[in-house]
Amino acid sequence: MTRQAPLIAELVNLATTRSRGGGSVKPLSGEDLATAFAAQFGDRTSAALRAVPDAGERLAELATELRHALLAERPADQAARINAMIRKYGAQPYLVEDVGQPFHLHFHGSFGTQVEALGGEFATALALIVDGYGPDRFGICEAHQCEAVYIDLTRNASRRYCSTACTARAKTAAYRSRRQS
Ligand SMILES: [Zn+2]
């Protein structure tokens, strides 16, 4: 399920983040959100996502739920929010064989559109991350002018930045401030 982690962070960031990578950004909604998020997927899923009526509104709602789950302050609150999403989207485990791949487990939502299917996948992914890594693996980028969320799947919980670009920016800033002092 760790393959879902970057997609979860990207959806939350596209829909809710106001500064990213050193500059301010406008949270996306409606058609813009649907188009930008659909671009994360291959042709088939992308087309299915864009074909959903009100895809942007549904994605924005899912992004808000994910953000609240990621950034919940207490583990009990976080667990309750994730459990509520699993129920809401009717996440169901089943084995799927994609072309050229061995059977692997999906947790698509069992009712609704492609957005609800992803809701089931994402809610289950968060549950498995909490189960496997603990409740503290979700954070906000520490680089200057960036509020993007990230999911930390490193072995030693060492992640502090949303992207390699922000890691590089933060390193450069630290180097400059050392040289000036
Ligand atoms: Zn960042």
Side-chain angles (χ1 to χ4, degrees), residues 29-181:
S29 60
E31 192 98 337
D32 293 342
L33 177 60
T35 305
F37 190 57
Q40 308 294 315
F41 296 91
D43 291 347
R44 213 169 38 147
T45 307
S46 175
L49 200 50
R50 279 180 289 117
V52 174
D54 306 324
E57 284 71 19
R58 290 171 196 261
L59 284 169
E61 187 179 327
L62 174 58
T64 301
E65 292 163 350
L66 289 167
R67 184 181 183 93
H68 285 142
L70 289 176
L71 301 179
E73 291 200 357
R74 294 181 313 116
D77 182 33
Q78 181 176 72
R81 287 177 181 278
I82 295 171
N83 285 338
M85 290 180 69
I86 290 172
R87 280 196 305 276
K88 173 179 171 180
Y89 292 106
Q92 290 257 5
Y94 67 98
L95 287 163
V96 181
E97 184 185 33
D98 288 327
V99 178
Q101 284 186 42
F103 277 99
H104 56 280
L105 200 53
H106 273 263
F107 292 90
H108 276 187
S110 51
F111 20 76
T113 68
Q114 183 68 34
V115 175
E116 282 74 28
L118 284 173
E121 288 278 351
F122 290 176
T124 309
L126 291 187
L128 289 170
I129 290 165
V130 169
D131 181 69
Y133 295 83
D136 305 325
R137 292 308 192 106
F138 313 115
I140 292 179
C141 183
E142 290 182 7
H144 182 59
Q145 281 204 342
C146 187
E147 293 172 358
V149 302
Y150 63 82
I151 297 176
D152 181 359
L153 301 178
T154 58
R155 193 179 290 267
N156 55 354
S158 58
R159 188 160 176 179
R160 297 291 174 269
Y161 306 106
C162 71
S163 60
T164 50
C166 274
T167 306
R169 284 198 307 123
K171 272 191 185 148
T172 307
Y175 176 72
R176 287 211 184 109
S177 74
R178 272 200 307 275
R179 287 195 33 152
Q180 278 163 10
S181 58

